[in-house]
Amino acid sequence: MRYEGTVYRPPSEAHSLLIQATIGCPHNRCTFCSLYKGVKFKVRPVEEIKEDLQMAHSFYGDWIRSIFFPDGNTIIMKTRDLVDIFTHARQLFPNLERITVYGSARFVNKKSQAELQELKASGLSRIHMGMESGDDEVLAKIRKGTTSSAIIEAGNKLKEAGVELSEYYLVGVGGLELSQQHAINSALTLNQIIPDFIRIRTYVPVPNSPLYEDYQNGEFQLLTPHQALRETRWLIENLDCPGSIVTSDHISNYCNVNGLLPRDQKYMLQGIEQALTLDESILRPGPITHL
Ligand code: SF4
């Protein structure tokens, strides 16, 4: 397999075969993100992707059960090309149970309902969607290139197509000023989707990104650990997503908030209350840990 640049994947894809289908991100404008800064976006030729799948098969045999196709927003590829590589992967790996890609609402919405259904039929199991926020003011500030209504539309299109959806919420990306509306409007947005997974990350300023510069200049107020926990509490207490799994599967978070909604909502809130009784000095130190 051939890789270009740094390959990023969600923690839940730790056991997946990674085959780059795209390089970089076609949006590449989010103010908090440094992942692909300076990387010119491109889609790899389908034949090259298939060759890499073949190489992986020569190495791993039938052992592969899950494949994630980085980089950012692979869903932007032409539907017929995605169908081609997913079909090829399923033919090569008879035990394949899961195929996943990253897909922002902006790019998912470029696909018709029929295309998403075709992708599902060819093997696409799950989309990792970096919602970050469901609040339009925060989304505009972080230059996510989408709105809450577009996020709801994309989420519901995926659900209708039978594709699982992981939505990512970024604690603190609205700063202190927008913290409460960021959490509450994100919960209200998620309530209109009811995604399979709600995955929580906490914003950490990362060099080589505009929001890091704002943070350094004192123009962006980073949440303290307790403020981040209070924002997470606003999110959780406003969620009405029966059947969604909430998970804090990331090192950036100050507290593990995990469970099934609504069954575990009370326990998640209790966990946050407990964390709020701890002195901030014993919670994750340092705002500029590189993730
Ligand atoms: S957060 Fe996602 S969509 Fe935004 S620039 Fe980074 S990779 Fe691209």
Side-chain angles (χ1 to χ4, degrees), residues 203-216:
Y203 173 62
V204 174
V206 182
N208 198 24
S209 63
L211 200 51
Y212 178 82
E213 301 304 321
D214 290 349
Y215 165 68
Q216 292 285 77

Side-chain angles (χ1 to χ4, degrees), residues 46 49-50 53 69 74-75 77-91 99 101 111 114-124:
V46 170
I49 299 167
K50 286 182 170 177
L53 284 166
F69 288 97
T74 287
I75 196 69
M77 284 177 68
K78 287 187 180 123
T79 299
R80 68 163 182 268
D81 290 346
L82 287 170
V83 167
D84 197 359
I85 60 174
F86 296 164
T87 305
H88 190 71
R90 284 171 64 213
Q91 284 165 353
I99 296 177
V101 296
K111 305 278 185 206
E115 285 179 290
L116 292 174
Q117 267 152 244
E118 204 184 335
L119 289 170
K120 167 68 183 175
S122 69
L124 179 63

Side-chain angles (χ1 to χ4, degrees), residues 24-37 72-73 102 104 107 130 132 143-144:
C25 168
H27 179 61
N28 217 6
R29 293 188 70 232
C30 298
T31 60
F32 59 89
C33 175
S34 68
L35 299 191
Y36 306 112
K37 290 283 180 284
N73 285 302
Y102 278 130
S104 292
F107 299 108
E132 328 305 353
R143 287 195 241 138
K144 191 69 204 179

Side-chain angles (χ1 to χ4, degrees), residues 15 17 19 26 33 37 43 46 56 75 86 88 99 129 134 136 141-142 168 170 202 204 209 224 227 247 273:
H15 301 293
L17 171 66
I19 299 288
C33 175
K37 290 283 180 284
V43 175
V46 170
I75 196 69
F86 296 164
H88 190 71
I99 296 177
M129 184 180 290
D136 283 334
K141 272 201 160 178
I142 64 175
Y168 291 75
L170 194 51
T202 299
V204 174
S209 63
T224 65
Q227 286 165 347
T247 175
E273 290 306 327

